[in-house]
Amino acid sequence: MRMNQKVVIGVAGMPGAGKAVLRGAAESMGLSVVIMGDEIRDEAKRRGLEPTPENIGRIMLMLREEEGPTAVAKRCIPKIEEARSDIVFVDGVRSLEEVDEFKRRFANVSLVAVHSSSEARFQRLSKRKRSDDPKGWDVFYQRDLRELSVGQGDVIALADYMIVNEGSYDEFKARTDEVLQAVIKKWRK
Amino acid sequence: MRMNQKVVIGVAGMPGAGKAVLRGAAESMGLSVVIMGDEIRDEAKRRGLEPTPENIGRIMLMLREEEGPTAVAKRCIPKIEEARSDIVFVDGVRSLEEVDEFKRRFANVSLVAVHSSSEARFQRLSKRKRSDDPKGWDVFYQRDLRELSVGQGDVIALADYMIVNEGSYDEFKARTDEVLQAVIKKWRK
């Protein structure tokens, strides 16, 4: 099979690290966005489950058990291929198996990680109040461990670019733009 | 058992990320240093093995298999307790089990991670020529996977402080000093 020439920017980050800001920056730059978590939320809906953190977490693990560690990546590949832009922002990479799956199909893959301390992430999520946000430190930490159990830490450790989200929003925003521009420049010769 | 009041600064980072620079900075600030990898190198010596990357990697896994995931942490605890300074820099934390072991014994534990892209780490290690440095990309990547297999990525993902080593040495050095001072300030009220 001929490699697809699209550029994949795979993004990893623990819950609340700030991936959404990076995604917003990618959208502003005209990049198409594929959100891996949407596959899990869609699957929860298909199975008639509310998108609570417990259900979302359970489906994330279940899908991988039923269809293998690349289940979610495989569902995203056609969406990446059909994306409007040459460079596609893929939000929510969770394991090196997913990275390898993308590298088998796409010639150009870069990995970006967003990092915040657990304390900062917990503060942020406690304010956000999304349906799958944690109700307390214990729920938060269990969710972290679930994310790590599928391999998210490995992707963060081996990322090509690391963005630290610990200072002000403006600093973080400036850094996301800088990194996205560096990735785009790398592949768009 | 009463908690020991020493402050532990646990440091994680993939091979070649720049932990040694951070360690040097800690030493300059008068902190005692405990190097977890020394336990593995000592064990290799006891077993009459050369410190090649393969042997060091094998011993790292073997010790954990024989004595459990906290084998190395347990050997370091008396050294931390006996250290001269109140704040002890512990180099080479490799799993959340090790972090939990330290937290059971010491009231104050902070985690610092150092991150560099695989490309930058490979370049750096190829120049360094230490006995356990990689001979090529494949050996390098296998070593990364071995480090990740015990849980190093989880520690990096959950670090309280992340130092990115991707620019100049001076930038990196300035950032290591800044982070160490922040950790010291946090605990030395």
Side-chain angles (χ1 to χ4, degrees):
Chain A
M1 195 159 73
R2 217 169 66 86
M3 295 287 261
N4 187 296
Q5 293 306 307
K6 282 215 192 289
V7 172
V8 171
I9 305 180
V11 178
M14 299 298 288
K19 292 197 299 295
V21 173
L22 186 58
R23 189 169 73 212
E27 278 165 347
S28 308
M29 290 181 188
L31 306 186
S32 300
V33 169
V34 172
I35 302 173
M36 297 185 76
D38 281 353
E39 302 302 318
I40 297 166
R41 279 182 282 272
D42 285 356
E43 188 64 32
K45 204 183 277 177
R46 257 192 298 277
R47 298 185 187 200
L49 296 168
E50 286 291 309
T52 63
E54 291 72 25
N55 285 337
I56 293 292
R58 206 177 308 145
I59 295 289
M60 183 194 72
L61 298 177
M62 232 192 261
L63 258 183
R64 286 172 164 80
E65 248 170 60
E66 292 170 3
E67 303 172 20
T70 57
V72 180
K74 282 201 171 107
R75 287 165 190 228
C76 291
I77 285 177
K79 296 189 178 176
I80 301 170
E81 289 174 337
E82 288 154 20
R84 199 180 24 76
S85 64
D86 302 338
I87 302 180
V88 183
F89 183 95
V90 180
D91 194 354
V93 180
R94 278 187 172 81
S95 72
L96 293 179
E97 286 95 338
E98 291 183 335
V99 174
D100 289 343
E101 186 69 28
F102 290 141
K103 285 190 173 167
R104 267 192 291 274
R105 185 69 193 112
F106 302 102
N108 309 308
V109 176
S110 284
L111 291 179
V112 179
V114 186
H115 184 274
S116 268
S117 66
S118 303
E119 215 174 295
R121 292 189 295 107
F122 180 68
Q123 294 294 340
R124 219 170 279 141
L125 287 180
S126 301
K127 278 181 205 151
R128 200 165 69 179
K129 305 278 176 232
R130 217 172 59 179
S131 69
D132 56 346
D133 281 343
K135 298 295 172 281
W137 180 266
D138 192 54
V139 178
F140 167 76
Y141 190 62
Q142 290 307 318
R143 183 175 166 198
D144 271 7
L145 293 183
R146 202 161 51 220
E147 296 278 337
L148 295 173
S149 76
V150 297
Q152 163 113 242
D154 302 347
V155 185
I156 294 172
L158 298 191
D160 300 304
Y161 303 85
M162 172 71 70
I163 306 175
V164 180
N165 180 13
E166 209 67 47
S168 70
Y169 174 82
D170 288 348
E171 270 177 79
F172 178 50
K173 183 64 177 60
R175 183 77 184 120
T176 60
D177 290 349
E178 200 179 282
V179 166
L180 284 175
Q181 271 149 9
V183 186
I184 292 170
K185 197 177 155 198
K186 178 182 172 185
W187 295 115
R188 225 178 238 163
K189 284 134 210 162
Chain B
M1 195 162 71
R2 217 171 66 84
M3 294 286 262
N4 187 297
Q5 293 305 309
K6 282 214 192 290
V7 172
V8 171
I9 305 180
V11 178
M14 300 297 290
K19 292 196 300 296
V21 174
L22 186 59
R23 190 168 74 212
E27 279 164 348
S28 308
M29 291 180 188
L31 306 186
S32 301
V33 169
V34 172
I35 303 173
M36 298 185 76
D38 281 354
E39 301 303 319
I40 297 165
R41 278 181 283 271
D42 285 356
E43 187 65 33
K45 205 183 275 177
R46 259 195 296 279
R47 299 186 187 200
L49 296 167
E50 287 290 311
T52 62
E54 290 73 26
N55 284 338
I56 292 293
R58 208 177 305 146
I59 295 289
M60 182 193 74
L61 298 177
M62 234 193 257
L63 258 183
R64 286 173 164 80
E65 248 170 61
E66 292 169 3
E67 303 172 19
T70 57
V72 180
K74 282 200 171 105
R75 288 164 190 230
C76 292
I77 284 176
K79 296 191 178 174
I80 300 170
E81 289 174 337
E82 289 154 20
R84 198 182 22 77
S85 63
D86 303 337
I87 302 181
V88 184
F89 183 95
V90 180
D91 194 354
V93 181
R94 280 188 170 81
S95 72
L96 294 180
E97 286 95 338
E98 291 183 335
V99 175
D100 290 342
E101 186 68 26
F102 291 140
K103 286 190 173 167
R104 267 192 291 275
R105 187 70 193 109
F106 302 101
N108 310 309
V109 177
S110 285
L111 291 180
V112 179
V114 186
H115 184 274
S116 268
S117 67
S118 302
E119 214 175 296
R121 292 188 295 106
F122 180 68
Q123 294 293 339
R124 220 170 278 139
L125 287 179
S126 301
K127 278 181 205 151
R128 200 164 70 179
K129 304 278 174 232
R130 217 172 55 179
S131 67
D132 56 347
D133 282 344
K135 298 294 170 286
W137 182 265
D138 192 55
V139 178
F140 167 77
Y141 190 62
Q142 290 306 318
R143 184 176 165 198
D144 271 7
L145 293 184
R146 201 160 53 219
E147 296 279 336
L148 294 174
S149 76
V150 297
Q152 163 114 240
D154 303 347
V155 186
I156 294 172
L158 298 191
D160 300 303
Y161 303 85
M162 172 70 70
I163 306 175
V164 180
N165 180 13
E166 209 66 48
S168 71
Y169 173 83
D170 288 347
E171 271 177 80
F172 177 50
K173 184 65 178 57
R175 183 77 185 122
T176 61
D177 290 349
E178 202 179 279
V179 165
L180 284 176
Q181 272 149 9
V183 185
I184 292 170
K185 197 177 156 197
K186 177 181 172 184
W187 297 113
R188 224 178 239 162
K189 284 135 210 162

